[in-house]
Amino acid sequence: MSTANPQRRAVLKGGSLLTLLYSIDGIATLLSPREAHTKAVALQALSPVECRTLEAIGEVLLPGARSAGLAEYVDYQLSIDFGDCLLAARVVDVAPPLAAFYRAALASIDAAAKRTMGSVFATLPAEAQIVFVKTMATSDPPGWDGPPAPLVFYLLRSDAIDVCYGTAEAYERLGVPYMPHLLPGTAW
Amino acid sequence: MSVANRSLEYREKVDAVIVGAGVAGAILAARLSAEHKKIVILEQGPNWQLGDLLSSQIWSRRLKWGGAPVELKGAHPAGHSFNMGWGSGGSAIHHFAQWPRLHVEDFRMKTLFGRGVDWPIAYEDLRPYYDRVQEQVGISGDHVREPWRPPGEPYPLPPLKSFKQAEVLANGFQNIGLRTGPTPLAILSQNYKGRAACLNDGWCDAGCPIGALAQPLLSDLPTSLANGAELRTQAAATRVLLSGDGRRAIGVEYIDHSGTPKRQHADVVILANNCVQGVRLLLNSATSHHPHGVGNSSDAVGRYMLTHFSAGLAGMFDIDMQNHLGTTGSALIGQDAYARPEGSYSWFIAPAHKLSDVLGIANVDEVLFGSALHDFVRRAAKGLGSITAVGEQAPRAENRLILSGTKDAYGLPIARWDNALDTREQTLFATMRAEGLRALKAAGAGQLWASERWVYQHIAGGLRMGAGPADSVCDSYGRCHDMPNLILAGAGLFPTQGAVNPTFTVHALTQRTADHLSEHWGSYAI
């Protein structure tokens, strides 16, 4: 744990509040989820199919989530110890391992979409994706076979909110003072 | 890994081993170590420092429960992890520091309303401790403008500054005939005893690293360590060790940071971990002398669990509500609906808002998505006002923690918690919700949001105090009826918990226990 002496007010100069630690070419590198997405870092917990589904539904839940690094953020958190995990699932009593929950949820999305709409979620027309997600918000879609769909909706939506609105940049964009005491980053 | 299959390392016997480095454990460690007792504290989570309390809603989740899962069952499953702490400081390092006192009536619910049970002590027994604690930690408030507050000394500090949101919402409550006053907060409105005043930036639940918000990392834990107490973190207690005849606790078995089972022997064993894990530890400590768990001759261990059901509401206003300013909890409190036959509830009004996280602006309308969600966040970042009512759940034997058939990484059964609200409580929730909607409308809100379903705050009970072992686990000092040197501490002791946040009462109750331990140590450490 850090023993840094807290400051009365940290100075914020565009730093990200959500950084992930990667090894790139053998060098430890801190990246924001958005930077990790741009650099197309290798995912550790999610398969390419799961990543595609997560990004597709994330983009419907909150446009911009894909480029903000939703998949990279979730993948990173699923690959570390539960006690260090920062996902909202941790605080709403989803039992670890969280990777199992996410895999079951993403598989259910694709299976139900394919069964009732003829295609996995990522390749559904935009209007069909919206109808599917709207159903998930309140009940299990037809053919659903996984964790309760409203819980999946809530958590994937929370993850999208994290990468889009959990950062200092988002506050700055909205004109809301962030006013941090201590910024994450050095503690990784 | 099975505990039974690993060799145990025996350590030097100490005066007291304390399980849990939250509020209760830290208070007792500070007091006993000041009296030259040799103390070891076992804490399951990490060893947080003030410098770890980062200003981020995302990072704040590290401070919440990260241990063995809890199975949540029953007609209305409760919420657990959001309410619990993980590591030194316990839940107090992310708590909102709203510190109302329990009311006089909360101690006599059975006598007055035929509901639940009376405490074995009265408000007057705790009053001097409430007064002592508020002076020690520095509570900001105004006892005159908080007309419901039971007798006691005035708060040592004036209320925190409030902002437009509080002004607007107070008018709404006033317009429907309800009173509001400054929330008593364990957050400094002025510099106090070498600690810095609050900056009104709303980072309370991410942990306050500047020391404005009272919590164990500021005083009791550093005091304990300075006095020579030893804090072992990442040390998960697995069993209370008993003497051969089963009459005394002799220590605690735990798994250390490397996964190695160890034992710490002590004259006095204090369980100050949270009530869920405290119950689990007693039940997992069953022996031939105590086949249903240690301290459980009454079959009361794990029964009478308590939580608060709450109604969260929000309204959109077409002015800048300055809603990013203030504290995570609230600026104002209202208790006109307290201590009544139909049950108590308290209003907490005008919290500081963050954009993300469970209580964040973006989660106010939980089914909104797509570009409409972006639009909502943009408007709400300036115009949202919100209120929360906290309702009293009565103790019932069937709201209970037991051991699950599922086991944790060490092969020990995890806890299962069955919870249900009765008809009266569900009716009270509907009343709270309807009243909140009226207040928001009367404040001038346009669009309104009110969850159809309650959410849960605070966890208490399961280790309740009482006059004897017939229906309680311990006495009012936390001394286990079945075992004279086993002490229980924390909110688990509450027979009822009113409709107020528990932390102030945990402080007061634990200070009382500390006095008793100090004065009667010889009767504990025989």
Side-chain angles (χ1 to χ4, degrees):
Chain A
M1 296 302 118
S2 163
T3 55
N5 185 28
Q7 305 297 307
R8 284 284 286 163
R9 180 76 80 205
V11 178
L12 178 66
K13 292 184 177 175
S16 173
L17 287 172
L18 191 52
T19 48
L20 315 175
L21 178 62
Y22 290 96
S23 175
I24 298 179
D25 296 332
I27 299 170
T29 307
L30 287 172
L31 299 175
S32 70
R34 185 180 298 278
E35 290 167 335
H37 179 78
T38 302
K39 290 180 181 293
V41 300
L43 300 185
Q44 301 166 69
L46 297 175
S47 70
V49 170
E50 290 164 342
C51 174
R52 183 180 66 169
T53 305
L54 176 58
E55 288 191 331
I57 194 168
E59 196 63 17
V60 175
L61 288 165
L62 201 53
R66 177 189 285 123
S67 59
L70 171 65
E72 288 74 15
Y73 168 61
V74 171
D75 177 80
Y76 187 90
Q77 300 301 333
L78 295 181
S79 67
I80 60 179
D81 287 346
F82 179 69
D84 296 323
C85 179
L86 303 181
L87 294 176
R90 169 187 178 149
V91 302
V92 297
D93 296 308
V94 176
L98 298 184
F101 175 90
Y102 275 81
R103 289 194 183 104
L106 295 170
S108 299
I109 291 168
D110 272 347
K114 193 167 187 178
R115 199 170 298 146
T116 59
M117 296 178 163
S119 169
V120 295
F121 185 84
T123 55
L124 287 176
E127 299 77 15
Q129 287 181 328
I130 291 171
V131 168
F132 188 89
V133 169
K134 195 169 186 177
T135 303
M136 281 181 67
T138 54
S139 60
D140 289 354
W144 183 268
D145 182 24
L151 176 61
V152 173
F153 172 92
Y154 175 82
L155 289 174
L156 298 185
R157 182 178 172 278
S158 290
D159 297 336
I161 289 169
D162 276 354
V163 293
C164 290
Y165 287 111
T167 64
E169 292 90 336
Y171 282 69
E172 194 174 350
R173 208 165 53 241
L174 292 177
V176 178
Y178 193 79
M179 304 182 296
H181 296 295
L182 293 176
L183 292 171
T186 55
W188 281 97
Chain B
M1 177 180 59
S2 166
V3 173
N5 293 336
R6 301 290 297 269
S7 63
L8 303 174
E9 178 181 317
Y10 290 80
R11 287 178 174 264
E12 177 192 0
K13 185 180 176 185
V14 295
D15 292 309
V17 58
I18 299 174
V19 179
V23 162
I27 288 172
L28 294 172
R31 171 66 73 84
L32 295 175
S33 62
E35 296 174 355
H36 309 293
K37 302 289 189 300
K38 188 163 178 55
I39 305 297
V40 166
I41 309 168
L42 303 175
E43 166 55 50
Q44 187 173 359
N47 185 13
W48 300 121
Q49 307 295 322
L50 291 175
D52 297 315
L53 304 180
L54 305 176
S55 302
S56 161
Q57 293 303 119
I58 296 171
W59 282 72
S60 73
R61 295 175 190 144
R62 294 186 305 170
L63 310 177
K64 296 181 178 172
W65 183 247
V70 176
E71 283 184 6
L72 301 170
K73 302 289 185 182
H76 309 117
H80 171 263
S81 299
F82 183 82
N83 296 298
M84 290 299 186
W86 177 242
S88 56
S91 57
I93 59 172
H94 63 72
H95 88 309
F96 296 0
Q98 301 181 117
W99 280 31
R101 299 176 185 217
L102 281 173
H103 289 214
V104 174
E105 297 86 349
D106 287 323
F107 295 79
R108 303 179 64 225
M109 297 303 288
K110 181 72 173 175
T111 298
L112 294 173
F113 305 117
R115 195 165 63 243
V117 66
D118 290 350
W119 286 49
I121 55 175
Y123 173 78
E124 284 302 318
D125 295 306
L126 272 195
R127 174 181 168 173
Y129 294 96
Y130 279 127
D131 288 343
R132 181 205 289 181
V133 171
Q134 71 175 22
E135 193 277 336
Q136 288 173 341
V137 308
I139 295 186
S140 302
D142 184 338
H143 72 290
V144 175
R145 293 170 60 204
E146 193 189 328
W148 322 273
R149 202 196 78 158
E153 294 295 316
Y155 298 116
L157 292 170
L160 269 83
K161 182 177 169 61
S162 67
F163 301 91
K164 192 69 178 177
Q165 183 189 187
E167 177 191 326
V168 169
L169 296 178
N171 284 339
F173 277 85
Q174 187 176 17
N175 289 342
I176 63 168
L178 296 176
R179 298 170 295 177
T180 61
T183 306
L185 294 164
I187 300 173
L188 305 181
S189 58
Q190 301 172 352
N191 293 348
Y192 189 73
K193 296 187 176 180
R195 290 164 48 206
C198 176
L199 300 174
N200 297 299
D201 49 27
W203 286 117
C204 315
D205 67 335
C208 174
I210 68 169
L213 186 151
Q215 47 107 327
L217 301 189
L218 288 176
S219 56
D220 288 323
L221 275 179
T223 298
S224 304
L225 300 182
N227 291 339
E230 182 187 352
L231 171 62
R232 296 181 197 150
T233 51
Q234 297 179 285
T238 53
R239 191 159 62 106
V240 177
L241 300 168
L242 304 181
S243 58
D245 60 6
R247 292 183 177 181
R248 295 185 63 79
I250 60 168
V252 173
E253 187 175 276
Y254 65 99
I255 309 287
D256 78 0
H257 60 91
S258 68
T260 305
K262 292 187 175 172
R263 289 177 171 176
Q264 178 59 60
H265 289 260
D267 287 333
V268 173
V269 172
I270 299 173
L271 304 188
N273 44 351
N274 67 61
C275 42
V276 172
Q277 296 305 317
V279 168
R280 180 182 174 224
L281 183 55
L282 290 177
L283 296 180
N284 270 332
S285 300
T287 67
S288 57
H289 291 291
H290 303 273
H292 304 296
V294 169
N296 200 21
S297 65
S298 59
D299 192 32
V301 170
R303 294 191 183 274
Y304 310 105
M305 289 296 295
L306 299 163
T307 185
H308 286 131
F309 52 94
S310 70
L313 303 96
M316 192 71 82
F317 296 82
D318 58 6
I319 59 172
D320 182 354
M321 296 284 273
Q322 300 178 303
N323 61 15
H324 63 290
L325 295 170
T327 68
T328 303
S330 63
L332 301 173
I333 187 173
Q335 294 189 311
D336 280 335
Y338 210 100
R340 305 174 309 165
E342 59 267 43
S344 300
Y345 59 91
S346 298
W347 280 109
F348 296 95
I349 300 159
H353 291 132
K354 297 299 180 188
L355 298 179
S356 64
D357 206 18
V358 173
L359 301 179
I361 281 174
N363 271 319
V364 165
D365 185 338
E366 292 185 348
V367 297
L368 202 59
F369 66 93
S371 57
L373 179 52
H374 281 307
D375 293 342
F376 172 80
V377 173
R378 271 191 288 272
R379 286 188 296 134
K382 298 287 185 190
L384 198 78
S386 71
I387 57 179
T388 299
V390 171
E392 171 207 8
Q393 184 186 33
R396 288 185 288 280
E398 62 271 23
N399 284 338
R400 180 185 189 192
L401 272 177
I402 59 173
L403 295 179
S404 162
T406 302
K407 295 184 177 177
D408 69 6
Y410 306 120
L412 296 169
I414 65 172
R416 168 190 164 127
W417 180 3
D418 285 89
N419 183 68
L421 300 189
D422 67 11
T423 303
R424 178 192 62 79
E425 290 155 353
Q426 294 179 57
T427 301
L428 197 61
F429 168 78
T431 302
M432 291 153 48
R433 184 177 182 277
E435 186 173 273
L437 286 169
R438 286 201 308 278
L440 287 170
K441 281 180 190 167
Q447 194 173 359
L448 301 173
W449 292 267
S451 175
E452 299 286 341
R453 177 85 170 184
W454 54 84
V455 296
Y456 294 103
Q457 299 182 16
H458 315 131
I459 301 172
L463 300 168
R464 77 174 182 181
M465 64 168 78
D471 62 355
S472 64
V473 182
C474 60
D475 68 14
S476 66
Y477 300 106
R479 189 175 204 164
C480 185
H481 294 309
D482 293 352
M483 206 159 288
N485 69 332
L486 178 61
I487 311 301
L488 310 173
L493 275 61
F494 291 9
T496 62
Q497 69 165 347
V500 298
N501 316 60
T503 307
F504 194 8
T505 303
V506 170
H507 269 260
L509 204 57
T510 309
Q511 291 278 8
R512 182 172 176 272
T513 293
D515 278 1
H516 195 264
L517 270 171
S518 176
E519 292 162 13
H520 303 276
W521 181 258
S523 76
Y524 288 91
I526 298 171

Coordinates of all heavy atoms in Angstrom, one line a residue, chain B residues 2 102 107 130 136 223 242 245 301 315 388 394 420 424 478:
Chain B
S2 N -7.3 -27.5 2.6 CA -8.0 -27.8 3.8 C -7.2 -27.4 5.0 O -6.0 -27.7 5.1 CB -8.3 -29.3 3.9 OG -8.7 -29.7 5.2
L102 N -29.4 7.1 17.9 CA -30.7 6.4 18.0 C -31.6 7.2 19.0 O -31.1 8.0 19.8 CB -30.4 5.0 18.7 CG -29.9 3.9 17.8 CD1 -29.6 2.7 18.7 CD2 -30.9 3.5 16.7
F107 N -34.8 2.2 22.0 CA -34.4 1.2 23.0 C -35.5 0.5 23.7 O -35.3 -0.4 24.5 CB -33.5 1.9 24.1 CG -32.2 2.5 23.6 CD1 -32.2 3.7 22.9 CD2 -31.0 1.9 23.7 CE1 -31.1 4.2 22.4 CE2 -29.9 2.4 23.2 CZ -29.9 3.6 22.5
Y130 N -22.3 8.9 23.6 CA -22.6 9.7 22.4 C -21.9 11.1 22.6 O -21.2 11.6 21.7 CB -24.1 9.9 22.2 CG -24.8 8.8 21.6 CD1 -26.0 8.2 22.2 CD2 -24.5 8.3 20.3 CE1 -26.7 7.3 21.6 CE2 -25.3 7.3 19.7 CZ -26.4 6.8 20.3 OH -27.1 5.8 19.7
Q136 N -14.8 13.8 20.7 CA -13.6 13.2 20.3 C -13.4 13.4 18.8 O -12.3 13.8 18.3 CB -13.5 11.8 20.7 CG -13.3 11.5 22.1 CD -13.4 10.0 22.5 OE1 -13.9 9.2 21.7 NE2 -12.8 9.6 23.6
T223 N -3.0 5.0 16.8 CA -2.8 5.0 18.2 C -2.5 3.6 18.7 O -1.5 3.4 19.5 CB -4.0 5.6 19.0 OG1 -4.3 6.9 18.5 CG2 -3.9 5.5 20.5
L242 N -10.9 -23.1 21.5 CA -11.5 -23.2 22.9 C -10.6 -24.1 23.8 O -9.8 -24.9 23.3 CB -12.9 -23.8 22.8 CG -13.9 -23.1 21.9 CD1 -15.2 -23.9 21.9 CD2 -14.1 -21.7 22.3
D245 N -12.1 -28.1 27.9 CA -13.5 -28.3 28.5 C -14.5 -27.4 27.8 O -15.7 -27.5 28.1 CB -13.5 -28.0 30.0 CG -13.1 -26.6 30.3 OD1 -12.9 -25.8 29.4 OD2 -13.0 -26.3 31.5
V301 N -27.5 -17.1 17.7 CA -26.4 -16.6 16.8 C -26.9 -16.7 15.4 O -27.4 -17.7 14.9 CB -25.1 -17.5 17.0 CG1 -24.1 -17.2 15.9 CG2 -24.5 -17.3 18.3
G315 N -35.4 14.2 -8.7 CA -36.2 15.1 -9.6 C -35.3 16.0 -10.4 O -34.1 16.3 -9.9
T388 N -33.3 10.5 0.0 CA -33.4 9.0 0.3 C -34.1 8.9 1.7 O -33.7 9.6 2.6 CB -32.0 8.4 0.4 OG1 -31.4 8.5 -0.9 CG2 -32.1 6.9 0.8
A394 N -37.9 -4.4 11.6 CA -38.0 -5.0 13.0 C -37.2 -6.3 13.0 O -37.1 -7.0 12.0 CB -39.4 -5.2 13.3
A420 N -36.5 -11.1 4.7 CA -37.8 -10.7 4.1 C -38.3 -9.5 4.9 O -38.1 -9.4 6.1 CB -38.8 -11.9 4.2
R424 N -46.0 -4.8 7.1 CA -45.9 -3.4 7.7 C -44.8 -2.7 7.0 O -44.9 -1.5 6.7 CB -45.7 -3.5 9.2 CG -45.5 -2.1 9.9 CD -45.0 -2.2 11.3 NE -43.7 -2.9 11.4 CZ -42.6 -2.2 11.1 NH1 -42.6 -1.0 10.8 NH2 -41.4 -2.9 11.2
G478 N -21.2 -6.8 25.4 CA -20.7 -7.7 24.3 C -20.1 -9.0 24.8 O -19.6 -9.8 24.1

